[in-house]
Amino acid sequence: LLNALIAHGIGHIDAVEKTEMRDLVLRGGPWTEKECHDILDYCDSDVRALEKLLPAMLPGIDLPRALYRGRYMAAVARMEHNGVPIDRDALDRFEAARDAIVDELIAETDRAYGVYEGRTFKLERFRAYLQREAIPWPHDANGRPILDKDTFHRMEREYPQIRELAQLRSLLGENRAKRLPVGLDGRNRTLLSPFGSSTGRNQPSTTNAIFGRSAWCRSFIKPAPGHGVAYIDWGQQEVGIAAALSGDPALKEAYESGDPYLAFGKQAGKIPEDGTKETHKAERDRFKACVLAVQYGMGDKSLAESAGITAFEARDLLRMHHETYPRFWEWSQAAVDDAFLLGYIQTVFGWRIHVSPGHNPRSLANFPMQANGAEMLRLACCLATENSIKVCAPVHDAVLIEAPLDCLDEHVARMRQYMAEASRFVLDGFELRTDVDIVRYPDRYVDERGKTTWNRIMALVDKQEQQIVDLRIIDTP
């Protein structure tokens, strides 16, 4: 606000004073009577500044789109107010046993590796383990093993014996995060930070939002008595967007088949027409890796690393994608060329980023899928909140809604209608399908990727609580 006022030559509150007042508000009450008056004056100064700023900026504002984005802000306010229902009892039990769980996990897992000293991961011990197992681990320029999450994830596919160590490190990373913020009403709330990314997507805190945590943590989500929640997502949203916007008939056919990865394999002649996800899982996984790599602008080297295949195999997959979907590739390259020529790239609803000569062409190629996906989610959330659907959280290409059990199915059906309508608006009539996972009280939400870890964690919680009970019995005279 201050920068906009300065740019238009409009008088404004001093930056130091604004910072002091903001800090006063964030400090929380109780405030003195003078502080209360000062806070109200501060808020009033912002409103009056906007009143002066609007006429100055109005000639350059794309008003219909600006009002649409303001409409989404109303939906954001409602979603932030709703929050996500959390099982506070389970969360409290986990927090109480957290330290003991960490020690138990390390002791249990490290027997096979011998790389920890207490809670400290020892690099020299890890080097010795790699040497014993003859694992050619990636190193940085200083000769130190690279220990980031992506490297562990990539290496565990090739060397399954390190999987449990990779999971342990991931769990310990989650353990270092602060407690998930949950209100007295059992709701997890966080700022959604709308328009926070260059593609216009929301960017909520990864530590404060339940959907920013590891997959196993999502099992803390549990509807209140008499209620249920539903996780509804667009199936292969980015593939559908690419098919619709590019107009590639083969890609549209692949999307509408319900399994674009299997369809790609069939269209490329590498999977028989009667092949299924079960009969040709390995082949489908490779074609899936290729489709995802294309969406993120990966080359053959990155695809080879992420899919655990050779560079030759990666190049062959990319070649098949080019040959199977030529119109998509023409459209994608044209979008990048236009961006550099015009100096910007934008969505169908006008969300725009400005492009410089040094811009990464791969991010520009991915922009139409990501940014138009964001447009789709915004519109769906507007339609839902304006029609009394309780949206607890938007999640990239999905939403979590909540409703009383007697009307949950009806709310799910309507939410899916709004999501279909939003896709048609953004994609000029092309409709994307949705998938739904419904959870009714007393059940809890389960992300299959984290199910095993959740069960393991809660078993350790039970064990720790039983040990405490046993000690109390022993200590009782």
Side-chain angles (χ1 to χ4, degrees):
L1 175 59
L2 289 183
N3 287 338
L5 292 168
I6 292 169
H8 290 278
I10 300 172
H12 53 84
I13 186 174
D14 180 80
V16 174
E17 182 183 354
K18 187 173 181 66
T19 299
E20 290 175 349
M21 292 306 303
R22 185 180 62 219
D23 291 343
L24 176 61
V25 172
L26 293 175
R27 186 202 74 195
W31 295 286
T32 67
E33 185 175 351
K34 181 180 183 305
E35 286 174 335
C36 288
H37 283 294
D38 289 344
I39 290 171
L40 288 173
D41 288 343
Y42 161 63
C43 294
D44 181 69
S45 71
D46 273 0
V47 175
R48 295 188 183 279
L50 289 170
E51 186 180 24
K52 296 175 183 177
L53 190 58
L54 178 60
M57 295 183 67
L58 195 55
I61 293 178
D62 182 346
L63 201 55
R65 291 186 175 100
L67 291 173
Y68 162 59
R69 291 172 192 141
R71 175 185 175 191
Y72 178 60
M73 292 303 296
V76 166
R78 175 57 59 186
M79 292 186 289
E80 289 182 347
H81 173 77
N82 291 336
V84 178
I86 298 294
D87 183 349
R88 278 196 59 165
D89 178 62
L91 182 61
D92 289 343
R93 292 175 59 214
F94 166 73
E95 289 294 339
R98 184 193 282 234
D99 289 341
I101 288 173
V102 168
D103 294 333
E104 186 84 22
L105 285 171
I106 292 174
E108 182 182 296
T109 305
D110 197 44
R111 293 191 191 102
Y113 302 98
V115 298
Y116 278 88
E117 186 177 290
R119 295 187 182 183
T120 304
F121 183 89
K122 304 299 288 187
L123 198 56
E124 289 308 315
R125 291 188 180 188
F126 184 55
R127 289 178 200 242
Y129 169 77
L130 295 175
Q131 188 172 4
R132 288 196 306 272
E133 295 292 317
I135 298 176
W137 198 268
H139 288 65
D140 61 21
N142 297 318
R144 293 169 57 89
I146 300 173
L147 303 176
D148 62 80
K149 185 177 179 179
D150 289 340
T151 299
F152 266 93
H153 182 61
R154 188 173 72 250
M155 294 299 290
E156 71 174 286
R157 284 200 300 270
E158 191 168 353
Y159 300 95
Q161 63 265 44
I162 68 164
R163 182 167 293 126
E164 288 195 9
L165 180 61
Q167 291 175 349
L168 174 63
R169 285 179 58 82
S170 178
L171 284 169
L172 295 182
E174 188 69 50
N175 184 67
R176 286 191 290 271
K178 62 183 180 180
R179 178 189 169 102
L180 184 75
V182 178
L184 295 176
D185 59 353
R187 317 291 291 196
N188 166 235
R189 296 182 176 88
T190 186
L191 292 174
L192 294 178
S193 299
F195 312 106
S197 72
S198 61
T199 58
R201 288 201 185 273
N202 306 304
Q203 279 199 318
S205 164
T206 55
T207 56
N208 289 338
I210 184 66
F211 284 101
R213 297 291 184 100
S214 297
W216 72 268
C217 291
R218 297 179 184 182
S219 286
F220 284 120
I221 298 173
K222 185 177 181 179
H227 288 72
V229 296
Y231 184 89
I232 310 170
D233 67 319
W234 280 287
Q236 288 93 31
Q237 183 194 50
E238 288 151 15
V239 177
I241 292 172
L245 296 182
S246 68
D248 190 302
L251 192 54
K252 282 186 176 181
E253 180 185 329
Y255 178 79
E256 290 174 336
S257 74
D259 189 336
Y261 315 126
L262 189 68
F264 174 25
K266 293 179 179 181
Q267 290 169 330
K270 299 299 182 180
I271 296 177
E273 283 302 315
D274 60 352
T276 66
K277 186 175 181 179
E278 289 73 29
T279 61
H280 289 75
K281 184 180 183 305
E283 293 88 342
R284 179 186 178 275
D285 286 347
R286 289 193 177 191
F287 284 104
K288 178 180 179 179
C290 180
V291 171
L292 297 178
V294 168
Q295 289 175 8
Y296 288 95
M298 290 184 186
D300 52 3
K301 184 178 179 182
S302 297
L303 172 56
E305 289 181 354
S306 65
I309 58 179
T310 66
F312 175 81
E313 291 172 316
R315 283 194 294 272
D316 195 42
L317 282 170
L318 291 171
R319 176 191 59 77
M320 284 188 281
H321 197 281
H322 275 268
E323 292 176 354
T324 306
Y325 309 118
R327 187 176 296 183
F328 161 77
W329 283 100
E330 291 173 5
W331 165 80
S332 181
Q333 186 59 55
V336 174
D337 292 343
D338 284 350
F340 281 116
L341 181 65
L342 300 173
Y344 66 86
I345 187 170
Q346 66 182 25
T347 66
V348 295
F349 288 172
W351 177 263
R352 176 182 295 188
I353 60 169
H354 296 279
V355 177
S356 63
H359 221 103
N360 186 339
R362 292 180 179 178
S363 69
L364 295 176
N366 188 38
F367 179 87
M369 280 69 79
Q370 296 297 329
N372 284 297
E375 295 282 21
M376 199 179 296
L377 182 67
R378 283 195 284 273
L379 182 54
C381 289
C382 289
L383 293 171
T385 56
E386 292 162 6
N387 288 280
S388 303
I389 298 292
K390 189 173 184 177
V391 183
C392 299
V395 192
H396 190 71
D397 60 355
V399 292
L400 183 78
I401 70 169
E402 180 182 25
L405 290 174
D406 59 358
C407 58
L408 179 60
D409 290 337
E410 184 260 332
H411 281 220
V412 168
R414 285 203 290 132
M415 186 71 236
R416 297 182 80 175
Q417 289 175 1
Y418 297 140
M419 292 173 75
E421 185 177 349
S423 69
R424 293 195 301 270
F425 267 111
V426 174
L427 302 179
D428 195 24
F430 189 80
E431 184 175 307
L432 301 189
R433 63 182 174 276
T434 54
D435 302 313
V436 62
D437 184 12
I438 298 176
V439 180
R440 293 176 171 85
Y441 181 85
D443 294 336
R444 67 178 67 252
Y445 181 89
V446 176
D447 188 315
E448 286 299 323
R449 297 170 300 170
K451 183 177 181 179
T452 300
T453 302
W454 167 264
N455 291 336
R456 183 183 183 191
I457 292 288
M458 295 313 292
L460 289 174
V461 169
D462 291 339
K463 179 180 178 181
Q464 174 65 16
E465 290 175 342
Q466 186 59 50
Q467 287 175 346
I468 293 174
V469 170
D470 292 344
L471 285 172
R472 285 175 179 168
I473 292 173
I474 293 171
D475 289 343
T476 301

